[in-house]
Amino acid sequence: KKTIFNLKTAFCDHRFGWGLNCQDGSLRHEDHSSPCTSPLKPGQTVQVILNMEKGSLDFIIDGHQKVQGFVDSELKSGPIHFAVALFN
């Protein structure tokens, strides 16, 4: 399925985008934002765990702090494209 994407918006501002905003620690999806963890600092690592059987997307910060991300039936089917936005 083809999706039209406005390049002037963030991918997580759409129904097909889910994200963790590392600047403020919020989860973002469909232009909604909810606090979930403290802002990340330089040097911290983020693992992304996608479980397509459960339809869940979670995050692990620095190898030990699990952040409950999203549960959505849309995450059970593909294709799924990963994207990373880096800010300095």
Side-chain angles (χ1 to χ4, degrees), residues 3-37:
T3 304
I4 296 172
F5 180 68
N6 180 347
L7 295 176
K8 295 182 180 182
T9 61
F11 67 91
C12 55
D13 287 343
H14 301 274
R15 67 170 178 75
F16 55 81
W18 297 265
L20 171 65
N21 183 331
C22 296
Q23 290 181 316
D24 67 7
S26 66
L27 292 172
R28 296 198 41 171
H29 175 58
E30 287 192 79
D31 201 24
H32 299 290
S33 181
S34 60
C36 89
T37 189

Side-chain angles (χ1 to χ4, degrees), residues 67-86:
V67 174
Q68 181 69 39
F70 304 93
V71 177
D72 192 316
S73 61
E74 289 285 323
L75 292 169
K76 291 183 177 184
S77 62
I80 292 180
H81 305 277
F82 288 91
V84 176
L86 302 174

Side-chain angles (χ1 to χ4, degrees), residues 20-59:
L20 171 65
N21 183 331
C22 296
Q23 290 181 316
D24 67 7
S26 66
L27 292 172
R28 296 198 41 171
H29 175 58
E30 287 192 79
D31 201 24
H32 299 290
S33 181
S34 60
C36 89
T37 189
S38 56
L40 274 67
K41 298 179 177 113
Q44 288 187 287
T45 60
V46 178
Q47 291 174 276
V48 181
I49 310 296
L50 172 65
N51 184 326
M52 291 181 74
E53 289 180 5
K54 293 181 182 177
S56 64
L57 181 67
D58 298 307
F59 305 92

